[in-house]
Amino acid sequence: MKSFASLLAFPASSLAGTVLWSGIFNSSATVEDFDDWSWSNQIEPWQWYIHGTGKTSDYLGLSTDFKNPADTSDAQGVRISIDGTSFWNGQTMERSELIPQTKADLGSGHLYYHFSLSTKTTNAPDASFEHQIAFFESHFTELQYGLASGASGSSDNTLRWNAGGQTHWSVQLEAGNWYNFAYDIDFDAKTVGLWASNGSDPLTQVVAPVSASTSSNSADWHVGELRLPNGGPNDAVEDWFWSGIYVEEAPITKEIGSGSSSSSSSSSSSVSSASSSASSTAHTSAAQTVISTAEPLIVSAVATSSASSTVAAVTSTVSPSVNTEAATPATSSSVALATPTTATEILDDIRALFSALVSRPTGVHARDFARRE
């Protein structure tokens, strides 16, 4: 069974670390694809079972409007919503959460858990309720929003990052702003730190690593929201928007997409960091081809019209050996590529691929491409 997030837009810059798992979405992914996952059909890259009694489309949505516009690695972002039907498995808390589906080890070594998060004024989160966001099962680190259970007052618009049950970083949540995060987790050293930025700004370290009981079985990072009743019911719909979700080994990748688009980061609720440089322009034409591999991850070939030369097709596999034998379109093991639909998308794809290839002397990166099984 193939993964529905099988081929993604190429990032305009090379990544620093090796990506172990990617949860970003291509242009052909649909909400219905999430329902293909089940305990008897555990297809990558997402588990989808923690939600309410409504349709999947009540809790999840995919759209270009839902992503950080600065992040060119994502074709679509995901809306994860909670409402008065979001009670799961008889619990009294409301939950809508995705969990990585992977065979990779996401619980050892020095890893960075990346994601971007945003809200809007429509279906805004309720600041009078506690929210647990992007948390691990043991809650050794997580984001929280709203009035904490047992705290005084009637509401709290604070988005805070906790480690070991203590708040180490916080900001006032601003609708429309994209908050970029990377959890800096050293599972061996038992420490966790935080990198953050806004919009298109590169990540900067905002909290140096602190001690924490770091642990993960590679299937317990909850990407989504848990809303606690906090003294009363809440049936209102809340929308949270996510993009750029992936896990990489150290060193950290600081850049967010190409930096060609950005959201406002001038308000007091924004994280200060240096602006990312604009991507260079290129005029290219593309031809895509299909390569057969034992476990295919990526296939692409590019011809640049300005130089009248061709960048050879590149294939990455899970195993050390690489099979570059071309397959015909009728071959059952061939990998179907997502086709750009506009001239802008074609140019963006080719510029990004060319940059990724020429900037890495050792080849391509796992997150430059997503896996199809």
PDB file of all heavy atoms in Angstrom, residues 114-153:
ATOM      1  N   HIS A 114      10.469  19.262  13.963  1.00  0.00           N
ATOM      2  CA  HIS A 114      10.101  20.533  13.331  1.00  0.00           C
ATOM      3  C   HIS A 114       8.598  20.632  13.069  1.00  0.00           C
ATOM      4  O   HIS A 114       7.965  19.647  12.677  1.00  0.00           O
ATOM      5  CB  HIS A 114      10.809  20.670  11.976  1.00  0.00           C
ATOM      6  CG  HIS A 114      12.276  20.910  12.044  1.00  0.00           C
ATOM      7  ND1 HIS A 114      12.841  22.150  11.871  1.00  0.00           N
ATOM      8  CD2 HIS A 114      13.315  20.054  12.251  1.00  0.00           C
ATOM      9  CE1 HIS A 114      14.154  22.063  11.960  1.00  0.00           C
ATOM     10  NE2 HIS A 114      14.474  20.795  12.193  1.00  0.00           N
ATOM     11  N   PHE A 115       8.053  21.834  13.212  1.00  0.00           N
ATOM     12  CA  PHE A 115       6.689  22.126  12.770  1.00  0.00           C
ATOM     13  C   PHE A 115       6.454  23.625  12.830  1.00  0.00           C
ATOM     14  O   PHE A 115       7.143  24.361  13.546  1.00  0.00           O
ATOM     15  CB  PHE A 115       5.640  21.392  13.620  1.00  0.00           C
ATOM     16  CG  PHE A 115       5.638  21.774  15.081  1.00  0.00           C
ATOM     17  CD1 PHE A 115       4.743  22.730  15.576  1.00  0.00           C
ATOM     18  CD2 PHE A 115       6.522  21.181  15.974  1.00  0.00           C
ATOM     19  CE1 PHE A 115       4.728  23.075  16.922  1.00  0.00           C
ATOM     20  CE2 PHE A 115       6.528  21.524  17.322  1.00  0.00           C
ATOM     21  CZ  PHE A 115       5.629  22.478  17.802  1.00  0.00           C
ATOM     22  N   SER A 116       5.471  24.087  12.055  1.00  0.00           N
ATOM     23  CA  SER A 116       5.015  25.472  12.103  1.00  0.00           C
ATOM     24  C   SER A 116       3.544  25.470  12.480  1.00  0.00           C
ATOM     25  O   SER A 116       2.792  24.576  12.088  1.00  0.00           O
ATOM     26  CB  SER A 116       5.208  26.158  10.756  1.00  0.00           C
ATOM     27  OG  SER A 116       6.577  26.259  10.419  1.00  0.00           O
ATOM     28  N   LEU A 117       3.125  26.502  13.229  1.00  0.00           N
ATOM     29  CA  LEU A 117       1.784  26.534  13.816  1.00  0.00           C
ATOM     30  C   LEU A 117       1.194  27.929  13.665  1.00  0.00           C
ATOM     31  O   LEU A 117       1.893  28.933  13.819  1.00  0.00           O
ATOM     32  CB  LEU A 117       1.878  26.161  15.293  1.00  0.00           C
ATOM     33  CG  LEU A 117       0.583  25.950  16.079  1.00  0.00           C
ATOM     34  CD1 LEU A 117      -0.167  24.728  15.572  1.00  0.00           C
ATOM     35  CD2 LEU A 117       0.903  25.800  17.563  1.00  0.00           C
ATOM     36  N   SER A 118      -0.121  27.987  13.379  1.00  0.00           N
ATOM     37  CA  SER A 118      -0.793  29.275  13.249  1.00  0.00           C
ATOM     38  C   SER A 118      -2.276  29.128  13.593  1.00  0.00           C
ATOM     39  O   SER A 118      -2.820  28.018  13.605  1.00  0.00           O
ATOM     40  CB  SER A 118      -0.649  29.821  11.821  1.00  0.00           C
ATOM     41  OG  SER A 118      -1.156  31.137  11.720  1.00  0.00           O
ATOM     42  N   THR A 119      -2.918  30.254  13.889  1.00  0.00           N
ATOM     43  CA  THR A 119      -4.368  30.304  14.116  1.00  0.00           C
ATOM     44  C   THR A 119      -4.931  31.481  13.329  1.00  0.00           C
ATOM     45  O   THR A 119      -4.190  32.321  12.802  1.00  0.00           O
ATOM     46  CB  THR A 119      -4.702  30.484  15.604  1.00  0.00           C
ATOM     47  OG1 THR A 119      -4.144  31.727  16.063  1.00  0.00           O
ATOM     48  CG2 THR A 119      -4.142  29.333  16.431  1.00  0.00           C
ATOM     49  N   LYS A 120      -6.250  31.562  13.250  1.00  0.00           N
ATOM     50  CA  LYS A 120      -6.926  32.677  12.593  1.00  0.00           C
ATOM     51  C   LYS A 120      -7.970  33.259  13.544  1.00  0.00           C
ATOM     52  O   LYS A 120      -8.294  32.675  14.579  1.00  0.00           O
ATOM     53  CB  LYS A 120      -7.584  32.211  11.294  1.00  0.00           C
ATOM     54  CG  LYS A 120      -6.596  31.689  10.253  1.00  0.00           C
ATOM     55  CD  LYS A 120      -7.299  31.273   8.966  1.00  0.00           C
ATOM     56  CE  LYS A 120      -6.298  30.760   7.932  1.00  0.00           C
ATOM     57  NZ  LYS A 120      -6.963  30.359   6.663  1.00  0.00           N
ATOM     58  N   THR A 121      -8.498  34.423  13.176  1.00  0.00           N
ATOM     59  CA  THR A 121      -9.551  35.026  13.995  1.00  0.00           C
ATOM     60  C   THR A 121     -10.842  34.228  13.905  1.00  0.00           C
ATOM     61  O   THR A 121     -11.620  34.176  14.855  1.00  0.00           O
ATOM     62  CB  THR A 121      -9.799  36.476  13.564  1.00  0.00           C
ATOM     63  OG1 THR A 121     -10.061  36.514  12.148  1.00  0.00           O
ATOM     64  CG2 THR A 121      -8.574  37.342  13.861  1.00  0.00           C
ATOM     65  N   THR A 122     -11.090  33.590  12.753  1.00  0.00           N
ATOM     66  CA  THR A 122     -12.232  32.684  12.610  1.00  0.00           C
ATOM     67  C   THR A 122     -11.924  31.364  13.301  1.00  0.00           C
ATOM     68  O   THR A 122     -10.847  30.789  13.091  1.00  0.00           O
ATOM     69  CB  THR A 122     -12.537  32.435  11.124  1.00  0.00           C
ATOM     70  OG1 THR A 122     -12.808  33.679  10.477  1.00  0.00           O
ATOM     71  CG2 THR A 122     -13.736  31.501  10.968  1.00  0.00           C
ATOM     72  N   ASN A 123     -12.827  30.876  14.115  1.00  0.00           N
ATOM     73  CA  ASN A 123     -12.622  29.643  14.884  1.00  0.00           C
ATOM     74  C   ASN A 123     -11.325  29.719  15.702  1.00  0.00           C
ATOM     75  O   ASN A 123     -10.540  28.766  15.755  1.00  0.00           O
ATOM     76  CB  ASN A 123     -12.609  28.421  13.977  1.00  0.00           C
ATOM     77  CG  ASN A 123     -13.941  28.174  13.296  1.00  0.00           C
ATOM     78  OD1 ASN A 123     -14.989  28.620  13.767  1.00  0.00           O
ATOM     79  ND2 ASN A 123     -13.919  27.479  12.172  1.00  0.00           N
ATOM     80  N   ALA A 124     -11.124  30.866  16.328  1.00  0.00           N
ATOM     81  CA  ALA A 124      -9.932  31.072  17.149  1.00  0.00           C
ATOM     82  C   ALA A 124      -9.980  30.194  18.395  1.00  0.00           C
ATOM     83  O   ALA A 124     -11.060  29.859  18.888  1.00  0.00           O
ATOM     84  CB  ALA A 124      -9.833  32.540  17.553  1.00  0.00           C
ATOM     85  N   PRO A 125      -8.828  29.805  18.935  1.00  0.00           N
ATOM     86  CA  PRO A 125      -8.808  28.995  20.153  1.00  0.00           C
ATOM     87  C   PRO A 125      -9.353  29.765  21.344  1.00  0.00           C
ATOM     88  O   PRO A 125      -9.189  30.987  21.446  1.00  0.00           O
ATOM     89  CB  PRO A 125      -7.326  28.653  20.328  1.00  0.00           C
ATOM     90  CG  PRO A 125      -6.596  29.691  19.554  1.00  0.00           C
ATOM     91  CD  PRO A 125      -7.474  30.056  18.409  1.00  0.00           C
ATOM     92  N   ASP A 126      -9.990  29.046  22.258  1.00  0.00           N
ATOM     93  CA  ASP A 126     -10.589  29.620  23.453  1.00  0.00           C
ATOM     94  C   ASP A 126      -9.529  29.754  24.533  1.00  0.00           C
ATOM     95  O   ASP A 126      -9.026  28.756  25.057  1.00  0.00           O
ATOM     96  CB  ASP A 126     -11.733  28.724  23.924  1.00  0.00           C
ATOM     97  CG  ASP A 126     -12.561  29.353  25.033  1.00  0.00           C
ATOM     98  OD1 ASP A 126     -12.044  30.232  25.740  1.00  0.00           O
ATOM     99  OD2 ASP A 126     -13.729  28.946  25.198  1.00  0.00           O
ATOM    100  N   ALA A 127      -9.198  31.000  24.884  1.00  0.00           N
ATOM    101  CA  ALA A 127      -8.131  31.255  25.856  1.00  0.00           C
ATOM    102  C   ALA A 127      -8.532  30.912  27.278  1.00  0.00           C
ATOM    103  O   ALA A 127      -7.688  30.949  28.183  1.00  0.00           O
ATOM    104  CB  ALA A 127      -7.705  32.725  25.784  1.00  0.00           C
ATOM    105  N   SER A 128      -9.800  30.562  27.512  1.00  0.00           N
ATOM    106  CA  SER A 128     -10.228  30.203  28.866  1.00  0.00           C
ATOM    107  C   SER A 128     -10.066  28.716  29.154  1.00  0.00           C
ATOM    108  O   SER A 128     -10.325  28.273  30.264  1.00  0.00           O
ATOM    109  CB  SER A 128     -11.687  30.616  29.077  1.00  0.00           C
ATOM    110  OG  SER A 128     -12.553  29.882  28.225  1.00  0.00           O
ATOM    111  N   PHE A 129      -9.605  27.954  28.152  1.00  0.00           N
ATOM    112  CA  PHE A 129      -9.408  26.517  28.320  1.00  0.00           C
ATOM    113  C   PHE A 129      -7.939  26.158  28.121  1.00  0.00           C
ATOM    114  O   PHE A 129      -7.254  26.770  27.292  1.00  0.00           O
ATOM    115  CB  PHE A 129     -10.261  25.727  27.324  1.00  0.00           C
ATOM    116  CG  PHE A 129     -11.725  25.733  27.642  1.00  0.00           C
ATOM    117  CD1 PHE A 129     -12.505  26.847  27.346  1.00  0.00           C
ATOM    118  CD2 PHE A 129     -12.328  24.651  28.255  1.00  0.00           C
ATOM    119  CE1 PHE A 129     -13.846  26.874  27.645  1.00  0.00           C
ATOM    120  CE2 PHE A 129     -13.678  24.663  28.552  1.00  0.00           C
ATOM    121  CZ  PHE A 129     -14.439  25.777  28.260  1.00  0.00           C
ATOM    122  N   GLU A 130      -7.472  25.172  28.859  1.00  0.00           N
ATOM    123  CA  GLU A 130      -6.093  24.701  28.670  1.00  0.00           C
ATOM    124  C   GLU A 130      -6.009  23.823  27.437  1.00  0.00           C
ATOM    125  O   GLU A 130      -6.840  22.934  27.225  1.00  0.00           O
ATOM    126  CB  GLU A 130      -5.612  23.914  29.893  1.00  0.00           C
ATOM    127  CG  GLU A 130      -4.188  23.379  29.731  1.00  0.00           C
ATOM    128  CD  GLU A 130      -3.719  22.568  30.922  1.00  0.00           C
ATOM    129  OE1 GLU A 130      -4.023  22.981  32.077  1.00  0.00           O
ATOM    130  OE2 GLU A 130      -3.044  21.538  30.716  1.00  0.00           O
ATOM    131  N   HIS A 131      -4.979  24.067  26.631  1.00  0.00           N
ATOM    132  CA  HIS A 131      -4.709  23.264  25.439  1.00  0.00           C
ATOM    133  C   HIS A 131      -3.313  22.669  25.547  1.00  0.00           C
ATOM    134  O   HIS A 131      -2.357  23.380  25.869  1.00  0.00           O
ATOM    135  CB  HIS A 131      -4.786  24.115  24.173  1.00  0.00           C
ATOM    136  CG  HIS A 131      -6.104  24.769  23.941  1.00  0.00           C
ATOM    137  ND1 HIS A 131      -6.553  25.836  24.711  1.00  0.00           N
ATOM    138  CD2 HIS A 131      -7.067  24.527  23.024  1.00  0.00           C
ATOM    139  CE1 HIS A 131      -7.747  26.214  24.267  1.00  0.00           C
ATOM    140  NE2 HIS A 131      -8.083  25.436  23.255  1.00  0.00           N
ATOM    141  N   GLN A 132      -3.189  21.395  25.259  1.00  0.00           N
ATOM    142  CA  GLN A 132      -1.901  20.724  25.160  1.00  0.00           C
ATOM    143  C   GLN A 132      -1.655  20.423  23.693  1.00  0.00           C
ATOM    144  O   GLN A 132      -2.513  19.845  23.015  1.00  0.00           O
ATOM    145  CB  GLN A 132      -1.894  19.456  26.006  1.00  0.00           C
ATOM    146  CG  GLN A 132      -2.112  19.744  27.489  1.00  0.00           C
ATOM    147  CD  GLN A 132      -2.318  18.491  28.318  1.00  0.00           C
ATOM    148  OE1 GLN A 132      -2.227  17.373  27.823  1.00  0.00           O
ATOM    149  NE2 GLN A 132      -2.608  18.680  29.600  1.00  0.00           N
ATOM    150  N   ILE A 133      -0.502  20.845  23.179  1.00  0.00           N
ATOM    151  CA  ILE A 133      -0.246  20.878  21.736  1.00  0.00           C
ATOM    152  C   ILE A 133       1.123  20.273  21.442  1.00  0.00           C
ATOM    153  O   ILE A 133       2.098  20.546  22.152  1.00  0.00           O
ATOM    154  CB  ILE A 133      -0.288  22.337  21.227  1.00  0.00           C
ATOM    155  CG1 ILE A 133      -1.623  23.001  21.587  1.00  0.00           C
ATOM    156  CG2 ILE A 133      -0.041  22.403  19.726  1.00  0.00           C
ATOM    157  CD1 ILE A 133      -1.610  24.507  21.438  1.00  0.00           C
ATOM    158  N   ALA A 134       1.203  19.459  20.389  1.00  0.00           N
ATOM    159  CA  ALA A 134       2.486  18.897  19.944  1.00  0.00           C
ATOM    160  C   ALA A 134       3.228  18.251  21.104  1.00  0.00           C
ATOM    161  O   ALA A 134       4.395  18.540  21.367  1.00  0.00           O
ATOM    162  CB  ALA A 134       3.348  19.967  19.278  1.00  0.00           C
ATOM    163  N   PHE A 135       2.559  17.355  21.798  1.00  0.00           N
ATOM    164  CA  PHE A 135       3.114  16.756  23.016  1.00  0.00           C
ATOM    165  C   PHE A 135       3.479  15.289  22.819  1.00  0.00           C
ATOM    166  O   PHE A 135       2.961  14.610  21.931  1.00  0.00           O
ATOM    167  CB  PHE A 135       2.112  16.882  24.168  1.00  0.00           C
ATOM    168  CG  PHE A 135       0.776  16.222  23.913  1.00  0.00           C
ATOM    169  CD1 PHE A 135       0.537  14.909  24.271  1.00  0.00           C
ATOM    170  CD2 PHE A 135      -0.261  16.944  23.323  1.00  0.00           C
ATOM    171  CE1 PHE A 135      -0.697  14.305  24.045  1.00  0.00           C
ATOM    172  CE2 PHE A 135      -1.498  16.346  23.095  1.00  0.00           C
ATOM    173  CZ  PHE A 135      -1.715  15.029  23.447  1.00  0.00           C
ATOM    174  N   PHE A 136       4.360  14.811  23.678  1.00  0.00           N
ATOM    175  CA  PHE A 136       4.688  13.392  23.744  1.00  0.00           C
ATOM    176  C   PHE A 136       3.806  12.738  24.808  1.00  0.00           C
ATOM    177  O   PHE A 136       3.255  13.409  25.682  1.00  0.00           O
ATOM    178  CB  PHE A 136       6.168  13.194  24.078  1.00  0.00           C
ATOM    179  CG  PHE A 136       7.086  13.538  22.947  1.00  0.00           C
ATOM    180  CD1 PHE A 136       7.466  14.859  22.723  1.00  0.00           C
ATOM    181  CD2 PHE A 136       7.569  12.556  22.095  1.00  0.00           C
ATOM    182  CE1 PHE A 136       8.320  15.192  21.683  1.00  0.00           C
ATOM    183  CE2 PHE A 136       8.421  12.870  21.043  1.00  0.00           C
ATOM    184  CZ  PHE A 136       8.796  14.200  20.842  1.00  0.00           C
ATOM    185  N   GLU A 137       3.723  11.427  24.745  1.00  0.00           N
ATOM    186  CA  GLU A 137       2.850  10.702  25.662  1.00  0.00           C
ATOM    187  C   GLU A 137       3.195  10.982  27.120  1.00  0.00           C
ATOM    188  O   GLU A 137       2.306  11.119  27.963  1.00  0.00           O
ATOM    189  CB  GLU A 137       2.921   9.202  25.369  1.00  0.00           C
ATOM    190  CG  GLU A 137       1.818   8.390  25.996  1.00  0.00           C
ATOM    191  CD  GLU A 137       0.462   8.658  25.362  1.00  0.00           C
ATOM    192  OE1 GLU A 137       0.400   9.003  24.170  1.00  0.00           O
ATOM    193  OE2 GLU A 137      -0.545   8.526  26.084  1.00  0.00           O
ATOM    194  N   SER A 138       4.491  11.085  27.418  1.00  0.00           N
ATOM    195  CA  SER A 138       4.910  11.356  28.798  1.00  0.00           C
ATOM    196  C   SER A 138       4.907  12.845  29.130  1.00  0.00           C
ATOM    197  O   SER A 138       5.175  13.222  30.270  1.00  0.00           O
ATOM    198  CB  SER A 138       6.313  10.796  29.037  1.00  0.00           C
ATOM    199  OG  SER A 138       7.266  11.497  28.256  1.00  0.00           O
ATOM    200  N   HIS A 139       4.629  13.696  28.143  1.00  0.00           N
ATOM    201  CA  HIS A 139       4.567  15.151  28.323  1.00  0.00           C
ATOM    202  C   HIS A 139       5.889  15.728  28.834  1.00  0.00           C
ATOM    203  O   HIS A 139       5.882  16.736  29.539  1.00  0.00           O
ATOM    204  CB  HIS A 139       3.420  15.537  29.261  1.00  0.00           C
ATOM    205  CG  HIS A 139       2.064  15.238  28.697  1.00  0.00           C
ATOM    206  ND1 HIS A 139       1.335  16.148  27.956  1.00  0.00           N
ATOM    207  CD2 HIS A 139       1.315  14.103  28.754  1.00  0.00           C
ATOM    208  CE1 HIS A 139       0.177  15.605  27.589  1.00  0.00           C
ATOM    209  NE2 HIS A 139       0.153  14.358  28.049  1.00  0.00           N
ATOM    210  N   PHE A 140       7.014  15.112  28.450  1.00  0.00           N
ATOM    211  CA  PHE A 140       8.292  15.680  28.881  1.00  0.00           C
ATOM    212  C   PHE A 140       8.550  17.019  28.204  1.00  0.00           C
ATOM    213  O   PHE A 140       9.305  17.847  28.718  1.00  0.00           O
ATOM    214  CB  PHE A 140       9.449  14.707  28.656  1.00  0.00           C
ATOM    215  CG  PHE A 140       9.845  14.504  27.211  1.00  0.00           C
ATOM    216  CD1 PHE A 140      10.743  15.363  26.588  1.00  0.00           C
ATOM    217  CD2 PHE A 140       9.343  13.433  26.483  1.00  0.00           C
ATOM    218  CE1 PHE A 140      11.115  15.176  25.276  1.00  0.00           C
ATOM    219  CE2 PHE A 140       9.711  13.239  25.160  1.00  0.00           C
ATOM    220  CZ  PHE A 140      10.601  14.106  24.543  1.00  0.00           C
ATOM    221  N   THR A 141       7.927  17.248  27.042  1.00  0.00           N
ATOM    222  CA  THR A 141       7.935  18.568  26.422  1.00  0.00           C
ATOM    223  C   THR A 141       6.670  18.726  25.603  1.00  0.00           C
ATOM    224  O   THR A 141       6.130  17.742  25.060  1.00  0.00           O
ATOM    225  CB  THR A 141       9.184  18.790  25.550  1.00  0.00           C
ATOM    226  OG1 THR A 141       9.257  20.170  25.184  1.00  0.00           O
ATOM    227  CG2 THR A 141       9.158  17.947  24.288  1.00  0.00           C
ATOM    228  N   GLU A 142       6.196  19.983  25.513  1.00  0.00           N
ATOM    229  CA  GLU A 142       4.958  20.268  24.787  1.00  0.00           C
ATOM    230  C   GLU A 142       4.750  21.779  24.732  1.00  0.00           C
ATOM    231  O   GLU A 142       5.367  22.545  25.468  1.00  0.00           O
ATOM    232  CB  GLU A 142       3.752  19.630  25.489  1.00  0.00           C
ATOM    233  CG  GLU A 142       3.500  20.192  26.882  1.00  0.00           C
ATOM    234  CD  GLU A 142       2.421  19.451  27.643  1.00  0.00           C
ATOM    235  OE1 GLU A 142       1.689  18.677  27.035  1.00  0.00           O
ATOM    236  OE2 GLU A 142       2.322  19.660  28.859  1.00  0.00           O
ATOM    237  N   LEU A 143       3.859  22.178  23.844  1.00  0.00           N
ATOM    238  CA  LEU A 143       3.319  23.531  23.874  1.00  0.00           C
ATOM    239  C   LEU A 143       2.011  23.501  24.649  1.00  0.00           C
ATOM    240  O   LEU A 143       1.291  22.492  24.624  1.00  0.00           O
ATOM    241  CB  LEU A 143       3.055  24.053  22.459  1.00  0.00           C
ATOM    242  CG  LEU A 143       4.258  24.412  21.585  1.00  0.00           C
ATOM    243  CD1 LEU A 143       3.777  24.811  20.198  1.00  0.00           C
ATOM    244  CD2 LEU A 143       5.073  25.536  22.207  1.00  0.00           C
ATOM    245  N   GLN A 144       1.702  24.607  25.320  1.00  0.00           N
ATOM    246  CA  GLN A 144       0.398  24.771  25.964  1.00  0.00           C
ATOM    247  C   GLN A 144      -0.149  26.148  25.616  1.00  0.00           C
ATOM    248  O   GLN A 144       0.606  27.091  25.378  1.00  0.00           O
ATOM    249  CB  GLN A 144       0.497  24.616  27.481  1.00  0.00           C
ATOM    250  CG  GLN A 144       0.715  23.200  27.958  1.00  0.00           C
ATOM    251  CD  GLN A 144       0.519  23.056  29.463  1.00  0.00           C
ATOM    252  OE1 GLN A 144       0.184  24.010  30.157  1.00  0.00           O
ATOM    253  NE2 GLN A 144       0.730  21.847  29.968  1.00  0.00           N
ATOM    254  N   TYR A 145      -1.477  26.223  25.568  1.00  0.00           N
ATOM    255  CA  TYR A 145      -2.126  27.503  25.308  1.00  0.00           C
ATOM    256  C   TYR A 145      -3.352  27.634  26.207  1.00  0.00           C
ATOM    257  O   TYR A 145      -4.039  26.648  26.471  1.00  0.00           O
ATOM    258  CB  TYR A 145      -2.570  27.629  23.844  1.00  0.00           C
ATOM    259  CG  TYR A 145      -3.419  28.869  23.612  1.00  0.00           C
ATOM    260  CD1 TYR A 145      -2.836  30.135  23.565  1.00  0.00           C
ATOM    261  CD2 TYR A 145      -4.806  28.769  23.495  1.00  0.00           C
ATOM    262  CE1 TYR A 145      -3.609  31.276  23.392  1.00  0.00           C
ATOM    263  CE2 TYR A 145      -5.587  29.903  23.323  1.00  0.00           C
ATOM    264  CZ  TYR A 145      -4.981  31.160  23.276  1.00  0.00           C
ATOM    265  OH  TYR A 145      -5.750  32.289  23.117  1.00  0.00           O
ATOM    266  N   GLY A 146      -3.627  28.857  26.631  1.00  0.00           N
ATOM    267  CA  GLY A 146      -4.837  29.139  27.391  1.00  0.00           C
ATOM    268  C   GLY A 146      -4.630  29.071  28.885  1.00  0.00           C
ATOM    269  O   GLY A 146      -3.510  28.895  29.386  1.00  0.00           O
ATOM    270  N   LEU A 147      -5.744  29.210  29.603  1.00  0.00           N
ATOM    271  CA  LEU A 147      -5.710  29.208  31.065  1.00  0.00           C
ATOM    272  C   LEU A 147      -5.429  27.799  31.565  1.00  0.00           C
ATOM    273  O   LEU A 147      -6.195  26.869  31.322  1.00  0.00           O
ATOM    274  CB  LEU A 147      -7.049  29.703  31.609  1.00  0.00           C
ATOM    275  CG  LEU A 147      -7.134  29.899  33.121  1.00  0.00           C
ATOM    276  CD1 LEU A 147      -6.229  31.050  33.560  1.00  0.00           C
ATOM    277  CD2 LEU A 147      -8.577  30.144  33.550  1.00  0.00           C
ATOM    278  N   ALA A 148      -4.319  27.647  32.263  1.00  0.00           N
ATOM    279  CA  ALA A 148      -3.947  26.332  32.784  1.00  0.00           C
ATOM    280  C   ALA A 148      -4.953  25.878  33.824  1.00  0.00           C
ATOM    281  O   ALA A 148      -5.523  26.688  34.574  1.00  0.00           O
ATOM    282  CB  ALA A 148      -2.551  26.386  33.393  1.00  0.00           C
ATOM    283  N   SER A 149      -5.204  24.583  33.870  1.00  0.00           N
ATOM    284  CA  SER A 149      -6.137  24.029  34.849  1.00  0.00           C
ATOM    285  C   SER A 149      -5.682  24.381  36.256  1.00  0.00           C
ATOM    286  O   SER A 149      -4.513  24.194  36.611  1.00  0.00           O
ATOM    287  CB  SER A 149      -6.210  22.508  34.699  1.00  0.00           C
ATOM    288  OG  SER A 149      -6.729  22.154  33.438  1.00  0.00           O
ATOM    289  N   GLY A 150      -6.590  24.924  37.040  1.00  0.00           N
ATOM    290  CA  GLY A 150      -6.279  25.299  38.406  1.00  0.00           C
ATOM    291  C   GLY A 150      -5.716  26.694  38.563  1.00  0.00           C
ATOM    292  O   GLY A 150      -5.561  27.179  39.695  1.00  0.00           O
ATOM    293  N   ALA A 151      -5.402  27.372  37.432  1.00  0.00           N
ATOM    294  CA  ALA A 151      -4.851  28.725  37.520  1.00  0.00           C
ATOM    295  C   ALA A 151      -5.957  29.734  37.787  1.00  0.00           C
ATOM    296  O   ALA A 151      -7.129  29.519  37.446  1.00  0.00           O
ATOM    297  CB  ALA A 151      -4.117  29.079  36.233  1.00  0.00           C
ATOM    298  N   SER A 152      -5.588  30.853  38.387  1.00  0.00           N
ATOM    299  CA  SER A 152      -6.560  31.900  38.669  1.00  0.00           C
ATOM    300  C   SER A 152      -6.834  32.713  37.404  1.00  0.00           C
ATOM    301  O   SER A 152      -6.035  32.707  36.463  1.00  0.00           O
ATOM    302  CB  SER A 152      -6.048  32.819  39.777  1.00  0.00           C
ATOM    303  OG  SER A 152      -4.825  33.426  39.389  1.00  0.00           O
ATOM    304  N   GLY A 153      -7.947  33.423  37.389  1.00  0.00           N
ATOM    305  CA  GLY A 153      -8.313  34.223  36.239  1.00  0.00           C
ATOM    306  C   GLY A 153      -9.342  33.524  35.377  1.00  0.00           C
ATOM    307  O   GLY A 153      -9.766  32.389  35.663  1.00  0.00           O
TER     308      GLY A 153
END
